[in-house]
């Protein structure tokens, strides 16, 4: 139940007709401030992981054509010291994301459960999917050349797809599918249940990103 105190007011005109956003889907967009200083080191480490990860390359060759992901082989990269500053920043973003939605962060804490790397070569595509069993998921871009593939998010309200209203203006707030352009150093945090995917990469350059998941767990009583 949402009371007036917790209601989000989207717009109100002079005739006191209010438009409320009752079930909004929030996303946090942020830029890693230390990215330019760490970019080369981050990319070198990702490529080294790919070169060393035979199991990940074999899985990717079968299930992720023209690309590489360490999701099924090395998904605990938050322990790697090369990624420490980036991980600290992602934690700060995740707590900001939760606090702005009034999550109970006094009694619960956010735990990063996965951090894995992705290299999307030409023609690589990532089909629509969700991240089950997590509260927050996200991606941070380490290499994103001009024209690289976009990430898109699907309206999670399935009933809206049945009889969508005709639109005079297609905006992120009312679209069935919202597409965002990757930028180097940028991260998107979103609810793990929000379906998303990556369009086919049409350029020669590889797009490099890291994906992550957070769980919300009760704090220890100790």
């Amino acid at each position: 139940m949402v009371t007036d105190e917790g209601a989000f007011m989207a717009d109100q005109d002079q005739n006191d007709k209010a438009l409320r956003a009752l079930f909004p889907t929030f996303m946090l967009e942020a830029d890693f401030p230390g990215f330019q200083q760490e970019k080369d080191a981050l990319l070198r480490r990702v490529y080294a992981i790919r070169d060393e990860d035979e199991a990940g390359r074999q899985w990717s060759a079968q299930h992720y054509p023209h690309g590489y992901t360490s999701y099924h082989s090395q998904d605990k990269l938050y322990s790697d010291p090369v990624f420490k500053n980036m991980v600290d920043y992602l934690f700060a973003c995740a707590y900001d994301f939760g606090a702005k939605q009034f999550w109970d962060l006094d009694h619960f804490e956010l735990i990063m459960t996965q951090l894995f790397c992705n290299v999307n070569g030409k023609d690589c595509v990532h089909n629509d999917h969700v991240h089950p069993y997590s509260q927050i998921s996200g991606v941070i871009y380490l290499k994103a050349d001009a024209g690289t593939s976009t990430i898109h998010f699907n309206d999670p309200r399935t009933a809206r797809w049945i009889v969508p209203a005709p639109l005079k203006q297609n905006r992120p707030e009312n679209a069935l599918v919202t597409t965002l352009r990757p930028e180097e150093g940028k991260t998107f945090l979103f609810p793990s249940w929000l379906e998303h995917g990556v369009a086919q990469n049409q350029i020669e350059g590889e797009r490099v990103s890291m994906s992550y998941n957070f769980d919300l767990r009760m704090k220890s009583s100790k």
Side-chain angles (χ1 to χ4, degrees), residues 192-206:
S192 298
W193 45 257
L194 183 60
E195 188 177 61
H196 56 284
V198 180
Q200 186 179 53
N201 188 18
Q202 301 286 344
I203 67 171
E204 296 295 335
E206 293 178 325

Side-chain angles (χ1 to χ4, degrees), residues 28 87-97 189 214:
L28 188 144
V87 168
D88 289 345
Y89 181 69
L90 295 178
F91 263 96
C93 290
Y95 272 99
D96 183 69
F97 184 67
L189 289 82
F214 283 94

Side-chain angles (χ1 to χ4, degrees), residues 59-83:
W59 186 94
S60 299
Q62 184 175 357
H63 301 283
Y64 200 53
H66 309 290
Y68 162 77
T69 178
S70 70
Y71 173 71
H72 289 276
S73 52
Q74 296 193 42
D75 67 343
K76 303 292 187 289
L77 296 177
Y78 49 76
S79 299
D80 192 310
V82 174
F83 303 127

Side-chain angles (χ1 to χ4, degrees), residues 124-189:
C124 184
V125 61
H126 199 166
N127 295 328
D128 291 357
H129 62 287
V130 298
H131 295 220
Y133 314 117
S134 297
Q135 262 71 41
I136 297 174
S137 295
V139 59
I140 184 166
Y141 299 100
L142 308 185
K143 184 175 184 293
D145 297 336
T148 193
S149 50
T150 58
I151 184 170
H152 60 265
F153 298 87
N154 301 327
D155 190 327
R157 299 164 296 177
T158 55
R160 249 203 93 207
W161 291 77
I162 300 173
V163 188
L167 301 176
K168 183 171 70 173
Q169 189 178 49
N170 192 20
R171 299 172 54 87
E173 297 88 350
N174 63 11
L176 290 174
V177 178
T178 295
T179 300
L180 300 177
R181 178 71 59 183
E183 296 178 20
E184 293 184 356
K186 184 176 294 295
T187 184
F188 297 120
L189 289 82

